[in-house]
Amino acid sequence: MISTTLKWVTGILEGLLAIPIAGGLFILGSGWQPLIFMFVLHLITLIFSVKDNRFSVGSVLGLITSVVGIIPGIGWLMHTITAIVLIIDASISSKAMNKAK
């Protein structure tokens, strides 16, 4: 399912943004554009998750993270938590898909 793939992608991207100093410098150096991109990507993931009747907590958390991600420290913490939640969610969805086959 596409929602599972999107969860893996958003989880990995959130993990990259959570890298101390490097993630913050990337966001600042890009004029906060990565946060806008991630907001849109989380919204798309949320739509597909709801359509596929899958968990959507990670995507909702990602939307919140994209908004509060401009706050140093809190942004780092939120990116880290969101990455973990999305990767766990994607892993659970992947296992469910493999059982269904």
Side-chain angles (χ1 to χ4, degrees), residues 7-58:
K7 288 176 188 178
W8 280 112
V9 170
T10 55
I12 291 167
L13 290 174
E14 285 291 346
L16 292 172
L17 292 174
I19 297 172
I21 301 172
L25 288 175
F26 176 70
I27 291 170
L28 290 174
S30 302
W32 287 286
Q33 293 299 316
L35 296 178
I36 296 168
F37 173 78
M38 289 304 294
F39 185 88
V40 171
L41 194 56
H42 285 301
L43 185 60
I44 292 168
T45 305
L46 176 63
I47 291 167
F48 277 102
S49 295
V50 170
K51 180 181 172 252
D52 293 342
N53 291 321
R54 296 286 178 197
F55 293 117
S56 56
V57 174

